[in-house]
Amino acid sequence: MELLTGQSIYYSNKSHLPLEDVAESLLALKGLIEATPDILERLSPGLHIQKVNVYLNEVRAGSLWEDLIVKFIWGSQEKLSQDVDAWRNGLRVDSIISNRLIIGAIIGALIMGGGIYLLDKLKGPEEQKQTLQTNQNIFILAGANLTGITEEQFKSVIDGAISRKEQIPKDAVKLIRPAKREGSVSITLNRDEATTISSDAIRAMPNMVSNDEIPESIEDFQNIEIQIRAIDLDSTKRGWAAVIPSVDSRRTKMHLDPHIKATNLIGKTVIMGDVTVIFRYDQSGNRIPSLVFLRNVID
């Protein structure tokens, strides 16, 4: 038998997002939701969730809104009734599984905790870790209040899940990535302003580009000179390359924003525009541009 709930997430981006960002964030949210049964069972010993299925309910463009349906599955109606009764009696929470708040608190704590885990592993700045910890404390407090346990107990369960499942930190980074495309974006879970991932926390989250957890960084540049070195009129992603002298002298692969018409760039070797640059780090710690996103062309 099953219990049905949902999860929604709102990104306050002002610009349209590439489709691959949206798809990646949806899969990351799905992955984090699929990590919750183990956490729920540890928060309530005796609870036995067989599996969880996640379905897409709605996606809205503009500022990105993702809404999912979450189905927790038990082996039988009798076992479901026993677990729900035990959950309500033991944790003093009525209908907690069928609302969004407890799952949202767990997901928010996992996202921030995943960022802290990666920063520890990469020996990242303490200031960034503290920023993430401050935001995670909001989700820990909410989760502890909802489940009737102490904040220390709730945090211990979250930290244990992150240490056991390497995919959680990776999904946390992927879920945050769309918000990093702009400077002051926040993320709100389940339309609850009390459980928001702040723009400071988003900036503090690490980035990675491979299974080896190689760090990367993303930076926006406005109204700068772009030297076009290669074009492909049949694609906005393949065959384009540029040099941005104020950023780096290296020729770098470039993608065009969907609203930019490739034909408008024919014959132009130097333009002014707005770009987002993804940087990778070599073994010596040097920052190297790996991809340029041309966001706008300034006439």
Side-chain angles (χ1 to χ4, degrees):
M1 301 304 292
E2 61 194 37
L3 276 179
L4 204 63
T5 181
Q7 282 298 295
S8 63
I9 184 168
Y10 172 76
Y11 297 77
S12 66
N13 295 65
K14 302 301 182 185
S15 302
H16 290 293
L17 288 165
L19 180 59
E20 55 266 31
D21 278 15
V22 178
E24 184 179 61
S25 69
L26 279 169
L27 290 173
L29 180 55
K30 176 178 180 286
L32 292 170
I33 291 171
E34 289 174 341
T36 60
D38 175 61
I39 296 170
L40 289 169
E41 290 175 354
R42 291 174 187 272
L43 290 171
S44 181
L47 192 67
H48 300 288
I49 301 171
Q50 192 175 76
K51 64 178 179 177
V52 58
N53 292 336
V54 183
Y55 304 93
L56 178 63
N57 184 41
E58 182 181 11
V59 176
R60 297 182 208 165
S63 293
L64 179 60
W65 174 274
E66 300 174 351
D67 190 55
L68 303 179
I69 296 171
V70 183
K71 186 183 293 185
F72 291 98
I73 299 175
W74 275 255
S76 67
Q77 178 63 48
E78 180 182 5
K79 187 57 182 174
L80 169 60
S81 299
Q82 290 174 355
D83 278 356
V84 171
D85 287 342
W87 179 278
R88 290 173 177 171
N89 294 334
L91 296 179
R92 304 184 303 281
V93 179
D94 186 32
S95 302
I96 195 67
I97 299 179
S98 60
N99 72 40
R100 299 167 175 248
L101 299 182
I102 179 62
I103 309 302
I106 291 171
I107 290 172
L110 287 175
I111 294 169
M112 295 293 93
I116 294 169
Y117 174 88
L118 287 177
L119 286 174
D120 282 337
K121 196 167 185 176
L122 297 168
K123 297 180 173 55
E126 287 298 323
E127 183 180 355
Q128 283 181 248
K129 286 187 276 188
Q130 185 56 52
T131 298
L132 297 183
Q133 186 63 70
T134 298
N135 209 150
Q136 190 194 41
N137 289 342
I138 296 172
F139 293 103
I140 290 172
L141 177 60
N145 288 338
L146 284 167
T147 55
I149 62 176
T150 67
E151 294 173 43
E152 291 76 16
Q153 289 171 322
F154 189 86
K155 185 177 187 303
S156 177
V157 172
I158 294 297
D159 289 345
I162 293 170
S163 65
R164 288 190 302 273
K165 297 184 177 181
E166 293 183 357
Q167 189 60 38
I168 289 176
K170 297 176 183 178
D171 284 335
V173 169
K174 292 176 183 177
L175 187 142
I176 291 290
R177 188 166 290 158
K180 281 183 169 285
R181 291 191 174 277
E182 298 174 33
S184 58
V185 175
S186 61
I187 297 174
T188 304
L189 300 174
N190 299 310
R191 304 183 183 181
D192 182 6
E193 295 295 334
T195 52
T196 294
I197 300 174
S198 70
S199 57
D200 287 340
I202 288 167
R203 284 191 291 270
M205 279 289 288
N207 301 277
M208 61 185 184
V209 293
S210 76
N211 291 332
D212 295 325
E213 294 174 359
I214 302 172
E216 65 172 3
S217 63
I218 301 175
E219 191 170 347
D220 294 324
F221 300 90
Q222 281 76 46
N223 196 21
I224 62 171
E225 178 183 309
I226 303 155
Q227 299 176 0
I228 299 175
R229 295 299 176 86
I231 67 172
D232 184 344
L233 298 181
D234 296 320
S235 174
T236 59
K237 293 183 178 180
R238 296 186 303 272
W240 289 87
V243 172
I244 304 176
S246 61
V247 175
D248 197 280
S249 60
R250 297 178 178 88
R251 170 174 159 151
T252 306
K253 181 179 178 180
M254 183 169 69
H255 290 177
L256 307 186
D257 192 271
H259 83 274
I260 296 175
K261 293 183 179 180
T263 53
N264 291 343
L265 300 179
I266 294 176
K268 295 182 179 180
T269 57
V270 179
I271 61 173
M272 300 297 292
D274 302 330
V275 299
T276 298
V277 182
I278 297 179
F279 296 91
R280 296 186 67 174
Y281 295 83
D282 62 19
Q283 293 181 345
S284 300
N286 299 311
R287 193 170 77 155
I288 300 171
S290 61
L291 183 62
V292 173
F293 289 92
L294 180 59
R295 299 299 183 193
N296 291 295
V297 176
I298 301 173
D299 296 327

